[in-house]
Amino acid sequence: MAKRILSGIKPSGDLNIGGYVGALRQFVMYQNEYDGFFFIPDLHAITVPQDPKELRERSRQIAALYIAAGCDPDKSTIFLQSQVPAHAELGWLMETQAYFGEMSRMTQFKDKSEGKDAVSTALFTYPALMAADILLYQATHVPVGEDQKQHLELTRDIANRFNNRFGQTFTVPEPVIQEVGARVMGLDDPSSKMSKSNPNTSSYVLLLDTPAVIRKKFSRAVTDSDMAVRYDWEAKPAVSNLMEIYSVFGDVTIAEVERRFEGQGYGAFKKELAEVVIAKLAPLQEKYEALIGSDELDRILKEGARKASEEAHKTLDAAKRAMGLLVY
Ligand code: AMP
Ligand code: TRP
């Protein structure tokens, strides 16, 4: 069977380096070897309130960042989820197969709903739509950060359940989670994930931050008690997190980072870390600027949606037929 990779990043905020390290860089890593489907899950973004104008802008922004980071529209299919109605339709079918009990165990829902009094039902059923996103394209591999592992497991359970009940319809996908960078932590607190929803803007670095801002944020990053640049998540979580970022952006192993900064303090390390990140982001930011105002971007997304719809419809029809719905 052909290897097919699929993933998406929600347009619900500015993209930070956590999403790049955990997800986006993997899209680019695998696109030559796999048939790639990279989409913008805008229907997932609206499970929490969004400003319509901002949502529109962010959706194009995320698409431009995919391409600027190296996703090639000639090799991969890049599209907006809401432009392929089969997602919402299979999403409903998946809701009929997912159990309330298993949905209730999803930690992302618990985290996102905690302490809020107005929580949409879509935030709760979110993983069923995510299962549809993946299963529609018979994806074999799904590159994500650690926080999406539980949703992937649920997708696998639903796919197996459906196949057992109605006959072989869906490919059961494998999550692809990198060892280094699966969970980038906040620069202000190594016990919480780097997240664009953190009100402290110094806790994350955005892909579109300027060099001056990146330098400032890394210089403020918290470190651990002794002065050694040593990789040890138990004793030194803040420095270990920064070392992982260095390793990914500098294309060097963790052992090499340790060697390079042996006998040097945190100051020198954080300074060079900022430069390594700035150097990697510079060409990406340049490509982004060229793309964001262009019609080319909209043309790519339109063509992507056309190709994706064609592919999605094959699976959607098969699933409907298998369940006993009439397809003419
Ligand atoms: P989101 O922006 O929540 O749609 O996340 C997009 C992708 O980036 C998902 O695959 C996440 O698992 C991944 N991701 C987001 N934040 C981080 C982080 N701090 N560390 C590693 N991966 C992340
Ligand atoms: N839930 C994912 C996140 O929060 C985004 C997403 C939606 C996704 N559908 C997907 C990721 C399908 C991979 C595959 O990051």
Side-chain angles (χ1 to χ4, degrees):
M1 190 182 40
K3 288 199 275 187
R4 181 168 281 186
I5 191 173
L6 173 141
S7 194
I9 297 174
K10 287 192 304 289
S12 47
D14 297 327
L15 190 54
N16 70 50
I17 57 171
Y20 174 82
V21 169
L24 183 52
R25 78 178 160 121
Q26 300 199 69
F27 302 1
V28 183
M29 253 156 65
Y30 293 113
Q31 71 174 351
N32 290 324
E33 196 189 329
Y34 294 66
D35 188 15
F37 282 78
F38 305 119
F39 71 105
I40 292 96
D42 49 358
L43 297 176
H44 277 108
I46 57 172
T47 56
V48 298
Q50 300 291 341
D51 174 74
K53 181 170 175 284
E54 267 179 31
L55 178 62
R56 229 174 344 254
E57 284 169 6
R58 283 193 171 134
S59 297
R60 286 183 86 255
Q61 200 180 66
I62 299 281
L65 285 170
Y66 283 4
I67 299 166
C71 292
D72 181 349
D74 291 329
K75 291 187 190 142
S76 305
T77 308
I78 301 170
F79 63 101
L80 295 164
Q81 184 187 32
S82 62
Q83 293 191 349
V84 182
H87 286 250
E89 202 175 345
L90 188 67
W92 178 258
L93 303 187
M94 295 298 95
E95 278 186 49
T96 69
Q97 301 305 307
Y99 299 132
F100 185 82
E102 61 192 356
M103 285 285 196
S104 307
R105 286 193 288 276
M106 295 294 116
T107 56
Q108 182 172 295
F109 175 75
K110 288 184 201 167
D111 293 345
K112 288 196 169 185
S113 60
E114 204 184 322
K116 301 221 168 73
D117 30 63
V119 174
S120 73
T121 38
L123 187 64
F124 183 72
T125 57
Y126 176 120
L129 179 60
M130 181 161 164
D133 297 338
I134 298 167
L135 302 178
L136 265 182
Y137 300 93
Q138 309 287 347
T140 55
H141 295 85
V142 182
V144 284
E146 179 76 31
D147 62 345
Q148 295 301 312
K149 203 172 164 193
Q150 196 187 26
H151 288 159
L152 256 298
E153 274 157 17
L154 180 63
T155 300
R156 290 170 57 87
D157 288 346
I158 296 175
N160 279 316
R161 187 176 304 151
F162 191 104
N163 289 343
N164 287 333
R165 269 187 195 152
F166 301 111
Q168 180 60 37
T169 307
F170 298 126
T171 302
V172 181
E174 300 282 343
V176 183
I177 299 172
Q178 297 296 313
E179 219 165 282
V180 171
R183 200 172 160 77
V184 178
M185 310 311 276
L187 299 183
D188 60 337
D189 172 11
S191 69
S192 72
K193 191 186 78 159
M194 182 179 283
S195 163
K196 48 206 175 191
S197 56
N198 190 324
N200 174 7
T201 57
S202 284
S203 71
Y204 52 75
V205 172
L206 300 176
L207 290 194
L208 297 176
D209 272 345
T210 61
V213 168
I214 294 174
R215 287 189 189 106
K216 196 166 77 199
K217 286 179 175 175
F218 279 119
S219 75
R220 284 187 186 158
V222 297
T223 42
D224 305 292
S225 50
D226 70 62
M227 291 301 283
V229 179
R230 188 163 49 81
Y231 190 66
D232 177 348
W233 274 102
E234 286 291 304
K236 300 169 71 71
V239 169
S240 301
N241 184 44
L242 297 179
M243 290 174 79
E244 290 209 1
I245 298 172
Y246 192 106
S247 160
V248 169
F249 281 87
D251 290 317
V252 292
T253 62
I254 296 284
E256 277 170 41
V257 181
E258 256 177 19
R259 226 174 299 127
R260 195 167 294 183
F261 293 98
E262 208 182 327
Q264 299 189 48
Y266 295 144
F269 169 58
K270 291 203 291 185
K271 238 189 202 137
E272 203 178 309
L273 170 60
E275 297 313 315
V276 160
V277 171
I278 290 166
K280 187 84 164 194
L281 292 182
L284 183 154
Q285 294 184 348
E286 202 176 303
K287 272 199 222 156
Y288 171 87
E289 289 306 332
L291 261 169
I292 193 67
S294 74
D295 297 340
E296 170 75 358
L297 180 62
D298 302 284
R299 198 191 54 71
I300 291 168
L301 290 174
K302 215 169 153 182
E303 173 59 13
R306 194 194 56 73
K307 275 182 12 203
S309 284
E310 226 174 77
E311 208 46 43
H313 259 278
K314 293 184 207 160
T315 306
L316 177 64
D317 285 353
K320 285 166 85 172
R321 279 203 184 90
M323 293 181 86
L325 300 168
L326 294 168
V327 177
Y328 291 116

